[in-house]
Amino acid sequence: MNANAEVLFKPLRIKGLVIRNRIMSTSHAPGYARDGRPQERYQLYHAEKAKGGIGLTMFGGSSSVDCDSPATPWNQVAVADDGIIPYFQQFADRVHQHGAALMIQLTHMGRRTRWDTDAWLPVIAPSVVREPASRSVPKDMEVEDIRRVIRSFADAARRCRQGGLDGFEISGAHGHLLDQFWSPGVNRRTDAYGGSLENRMRFGIEILTAMREAVGDDYIMGMRMSGDELLKDGVSHEDAIAIATEYARRGLIDFVNVLGGQARDDMSHAVSLPNMAFPVAPFLHLASGIKREVDIPVFHAQRITDVATAARAVAEGHIDMVAMTRAHIADPHLVNKLAQGREDDIRQCVGAGYCIDRIYVGGDALCLQNAATGREATMPHDIPRADISRRVVIVGGGVAGLEAARVCALRGHHVVLFEQEAQTGGQVTIAARAGWREALSGIVRWLDAQVRKLGVDLRLGTRATPELIAAEKPDVVIVATGGHASVGDRPGSDLVHDARAVLEGTVEPTGSVLLYDDMGQHNAASVAEVLATRGCLVEMATGDRLIAQEVGTTNQPVHLRELYRLGVVLSPNMELTEVYREDSRLVAVLRNTMTDVEEERVVDHVIVEYGNLPREDLYFALKKNAANRGQTDLPALLEGRTQPVFAEGQDGYALFRIGDAVAGRNIHAALYDALRLCKDL
Ligand SMILES: Cc1cc2nc3c(=O)[nH]c(=O)nc-3n(C[C@H](O)[C@H](O)[C@H](O)COP(=O)(O)O)c2cc1C
Ligand code: SF4
């Protein structure tokens, strides 16, 4: 174990609670609550981290304490009535039995939420200042509203204690109601709650005082806050130190959980949930600055994904507890693996932001590279061995094939994997060549290392043929050959190149480039950035309303920032209808999707992104001799049963297709295809 890492296993005492180590997960809203309650899925998700050795897991990001802070938007937890208490008790039992502590985050979102949901109540804030992220124009709070919300916080605190939770934090981070009062740009009040910092701190003091009265001195109450909102009219680092110090001095908080930035608009949101474009631990200094001034434990999260950085943060005294929140979404068994000297087996978070981005489009948090997370009821993190060992041949060493090989090897099968290239990784390895997306390569590195360790027979640089496969006498053949890039079927498609070819290096455009994006994903934006960095004059056009429309909330701003910085011309609502040659150049015809008016661009190259078409030749060549005719039995797949072909006494090999070899989708879909099929093989 890394020498510093030992410090992570030193227990931390807060009041009567002993947290067994210094590693935690901060509260987040994974979108798993149902009807405002953390039910089985939610509880199992955190229990898995507890089983995996975590010291403290905090659930219920943004759990609401009152009816005008609706719990619906991200399927949050509602703590506004006593009906929540039995759920807390069941949850606490589930986590405590594995030795971890369990806390929740309580909040009122104020203006940082929507009014057109749940009870359709107007949102409230210290003053009538519109929030760009939620687009809500709030009502300014009357003193009666202030009193009501304080009472609601106190009632919620009582419910936490009655529910057997080890404590809670209130959120004064990400622009919730508490920090709306602190933040001078949002709090324009002229009464006792506005103006001086002392006045702006008052609301929080009154909330915490009422909560303390409700739960008693021995119960753990903490606060999450920004150590610097990074805004001209926001809470500065000095303000943050003053707030933390004052609340701690009054005995109102037993820990402070510090982060950097806030989330009131697109770019600041991306900064507060730093993805792979950001360095590791970008805001540790803010937590450290507060740690120097307060005598209560300091927690901190924000892109601490590796054990060395986590250990350094604690060993050097910057913080007391290190939160590795997304790191646990990627690998809930992180702590045990570290304790067992299996650091290399930790599936490290790559900072893709797929988990967080999904909740802003009404989805649930899923990890791009770990399909078991959030599906603990049906998908194992530890793969059990099969009763029967089979001979499995996998064709394709992209992420779908690698995951299939990993899971099959853990099942105890004999696995041969054919990959025509000299290295594994397929499209993900190619995508990782694009600028700030480099960390995607971590997904492949981990899978590759695991399959080698598990003794998978890797046949790199070998193009699989039906004969080569037959020579292995397989019981199972899994085709994971991925997809080839489409160039679309518009007139002139023979004159264009696909975006992937740029990253592969098979085409090297110079001069002016029209890059057309039909998908709205990372691919085209990444290639536009690469081309512009190389000095091309790039126009990026799409028929969509927005550039990179499908890229999520914490990733799209980073693409846009790069595209603007690089001077790429952005043309939404422009559909490519035709390309033709004119002398030595190309003419791209673009149709405005709103007006139907056509425009032409004369350029040196047209590059297009139309997604993938399956590479399926081998599948069809193998299908005719397959015992199951290549068909995956979908009811068996969805119910987690062995494929019927095995029960029927199979004659010949069973054939399956996974990932983009079936239909072009994404990394998570490829991995999920592999995991859910192979866990029952
Ligand atoms: C899906 C998801 C939802 C989140 N929701 C909340 C939330 O409701 N409240 C909160 O304080 N932080 C929330 N966060 C932020 C995390 O608590 C944490 O600060 C962030 O993930 C950075 O830490 P990390 O890099 O260790 O993941 C959320 C994070 C994720 C991934
Ligand atoms: S989706 Fe990406 S950011 Fe989220 S946990 Fe997985 S690897 Fe980390």
Side-chain angles (χ1 to χ4, degrees):
M1 194 193 306
N2 168 324
N4 266 348
E6 285 187 4
V7 74
L8 296 172
F9 290 95
K10 209 170 138 214
L12 177 72
R13 173 180 282 276
I14 308 178
K15 291 194 162 160
L17 176 71
V18 178
I19 302 174
R20 63 182 164 184
N21 59 50
R22 303 303 182 99
I23 303 177
M24 63 175 287
S25 168
T26 49
S27 284
H28 51 288
Y32 299 163
R34 287 289 160 266
D35 302 324
R37 307 304 190 207
Q39 304 195 24
E40 191 187 38
R41 178 185 188 192
Y42 206 146
Q43 296 180 18
L44 291 178
Y45 163 66
H46 281 276
E48 195 69 39
K49 301 176 213 223
K51 210 192 298 175
I54 202 166
L56 164 65
T57 190
M58 301 187 76
F59 74 105
S62 308
S63 298
S64 66
V65 299
D66 211 336
C67 54
D68 49 1
S69 179
T72 309
W74 309 319
N75 278 318
Q76 289 148 241
V77 177
V79 194
D81 65 90
D82 284 2
I84 191 71
I85 296 171
Y87 292 92
F88 283 172
Q89 286 163 340
Q90 188 186 40
F91 203 155
D93 288 347
R94 270 209 166 110
V95 167
H96 288 157
Q97 67 169 307
H98 298 293
L102 181 69
M103 297 191 193
I104 189 175
Q105 177 180 87
L106 300 174
T107 198
H108 192 298
M109 305 287 287
R111 65 176 195 153
R112 189 174 159 56
T113 187
R114 305 185 64 100
W115 49 264
D116 56 350
T117 179
D118 276 20
W120 278 66
L121 292 171
V123 304
I124 55 174
S127 311
V128 184
V129 182
R130 177 184 178 270
E131 203 224 25
S134 63
R135 299 165 197 279
S136 295
V137 181
K139 167 204 174 192
D140 59 348
M141 291 170 75
E142 297 167 60
V143 172
E144 290 77 4
D145 291 317
I146 291 180
R147 297 277 155 263
R148 169 175 58 84
V149 171
I150 291 171
R151 261 198 322 277
S152 300
F153 267 105
D155 288 341
R158 169 183 56 77
R159 292 174 190 124
C160 294
R161 179 160 198 154
Q162 287 176 339
L165 305 183
D166 296 295
F168 61 78
E169 70 177 11
I170 60 169
S171 175
H174 297 118
H176 293 199
L177 185 58
L178 177 57
D179 38 317
Q180 288 162 30
F181 269 83
W182 294 336
S183 198
V186 188
N187 182 348
R188 313 241 174 105
R189 298 178 78 94
T190 53
D191 62 5
Y193 294 94
S196 66
L197 181 59
E198 190 188 346
N199 277 358
R200 284 183 275 124
M201 278 198 270
R202 191 180 311 281
F203 179 55
I205 290 172
E206 291 180 356
I207 288 174
L208 287 162
T209 305
M211 292 176 113
R212 181 60 84 203
E213 279 166 16
V215 295
D217 282 342
D218 59 339
Y219 197 66
I220 297 175
M221 306 194 341
M223 183 167 72
R224 194 163 208 202
M225 66 182 298
S226 176
D228 187 339
E229 287 194 314
L230 308 172
L231 287 171
K232 271 208 262 334
D233 61 355
V235 173
S236 66
H237 188 46
E238 291 67 35
D239 291 343
I241 290 173
I243 294 167
T245 317
E246 179 61 16
Y247 286 22
R249 187 187 66 76
R250 289 171 178 257
L252 294 174
I253 50 174
D254 305 305
F255 67 84
V256 60
N257 183 0
V258 180
L259 51 75
Q262 34 73 49
R264 72 172 62 160
D265 56 36
D266 290 341
M267 197 64 223
S268 58
H269 201 159
V271 170
S272 76
L273 264 139
N275 66 12
M276 62 177 73
F278 293 80
V280 292
F283 300 117
L284 178 62
H285 62 287
L286 297 177
S288 184
I290 290 182
K291 165 85 184 147
R292 275 196 295 275
E293 305 296 332
V294 296
D295 56 5
I296 52 173
V298 174
F299 303 174
H300 173 66
Q302 259 164 335
R303 194 150 160 70
I304 297 181
T305 53
D306 66 293
V307 172
T309 306
R312 181 179 69 79
V314 177
E316 291 180 1
H318 298 294
I319 52 178
D320 299 282
M321 288 286 293
V322 59
M324 303 182 76
T325 305
R326 284 172 293 173
H328 273 83
I329 296 178
D331 193 338
H333 297 176
L334 184 157
V335 176
N336 280 350
K337 288 180 180 174
L338 177 62
Q340 293 158 4
R342 295 170 51 216
E343 204 174 324
D344 289 350
D345 289 337
I346 296 173
R347 193 181 324 213
Q348 196 173 315
C349 168
V350 298
Y354 187 68
C355 48
I356 178 82
D357 286 348
R358 282 179 55 84
I359 70 166
Y360 291 107
V361 287
D364 45 358
L366 295 170
C367 178
L368 189 67
Q369 57 167 332
N370 186 346
T373 295
R375 297 192 177 103
E376 282 74 15
T378 52
M379 295 296 133
H381 284 277
D382 285 326
I383 309 292
R385 281 184 86 78
D387 298 333
I388 302 168
S389 174
R390 304 184 201 278
R391 294 183 63 81
V392 179
V393 169
I394 297 167
V395 186
V399 292
L402 286 172
E403 176 71 346
R406 182 186 78 88
V407 177
C408 287
L410 285 166
R411 297 280 289 150
H413 302 316
H414 174 269
V415 185
V416 177
L417 188 151
F418 290 102
E419 165 55 49
Q420 63 180 359
E421 300 297 329
Q423 87 271 10
T424 58
Q427 291 178 61
V428 178
T429 298
I430 296 165
R433 291 182 192 152
W436 61 271
R437 303 276 293 156
E438 192 281 327
L440 283 177
S441 58
I443 298 175
V444 176
R445 251 195 322 277
W446 186 82
L447 287 167
D448 184 281
Q450 292 292 304
V451 300
R452 286 174 195 268
K453 204 169 176 174
L454 289 164
V456 169
D457 185 352
L458 273 182
R459 310 266 177 91
L460 298 180
T462 311
R463 196 185 175 92
T465 59
E467 296 71 34
L468 271 183
I469 293 168
E472 299 300 323
K473 300 193 172 30
D475 304 308
V476 181
V477 179
I478 300 175
V479 174
T481 42
H484 62 84
S486 165
V487 288
D489 54 6
R490 308 284 198 284
S493 57
D494 55 324
L495 301 173
V496 308
H497 293 283
D498 64 84
R500 196 197 296 177
V502 175
L503 298 180
E504 285 171 329
T506 52
V507 48
E508 294 181 358
T510 51
S512 57
V513 179
L514 187 281
L515 194 149
Y516 180 69
D517 183 17
D518 209 43
M519 302 302 289
Q521 286 288 355
H522 284 282
N523 306 18
S526 297
V527 169
E529 289 156 28
V530 166
L531 290 172
T533 305
R534 288 183 192 161
C536 294
L537 284 174
V538 184
E539 176 175 355
M540 183 173 168
T542 176
D544 293 337
R545 277 186 297 125
L546 300 171
I547 295 294
Q549 183 159 309
E550 294 298 309
V551 177
T553 314
T554 63
N555 276 290
Q556 192 201 36
V558 179
H559 275 307
L560 292 176
R561 180 187 70 189
E562 295 308 303
L563 292 167
Y564 283 124
R565 274 185 183 163
L566 290 161
V568 173
V569 176
L570 304 179
S571 303
N573 300 316
M574 298 300 273
E575 184 196 14
L576 182 67
T577 57
E578 184 184 353
V579 178
Y580 62 89
R581 193 176 286 288
E582 194 169 78
D583 303 326
S584 62
R585 306 192 81 195
L586 296 175
V587 180
V589 183
L590 297 170
R591 180 185 72 89
N592 186 304
T593 54
M594 303 295 158
T595 62
D596 248 356
V597 172
E598 287 192 346
E599 297 176 17
E600 292 189 341
R601 306 285 193 267
V602 182
V603 291
D604 297 312
H605 300 272
V606 176
I607 305 289
V608 296
E609 172 60 40
Y610 282 107
N612 283 338
L613 296 173
R615 269 200 204 104
E616 53 194 9
D617 295 359
L618 182 67
Y619 167 79
F620 282 110
L622 295 169
K623 179 177 171 173
K624 52 184 179 300
N625 294 326
N628 62 341
R629 290 284 181 272
Q631 301 308 298
T632 303
D633 185 277
L634 296 181
L637 181 79
L638 299 184
E639 289 160 22
R641 288 187 280 112
T642 308
Q643 287 289 307
V645 60
F646 299 119
E648 286 157 8
Q650 128 198 31
D651 182 18
Y653 54 83
L655 174 70
F656 303 100
R657 232 187 338 167
I658 58 173
D660 279 10
V662 186
R665 286 161 292 154
N666 68 11
I667 296 173
H668 181 86
L671 291 167
Y672 190 27
D673 275 6
L675 174 63
R676 76 171 153 183
L677 174 74
C678 298
K679 77 174 177 48
D680 297 315
L681 282 186

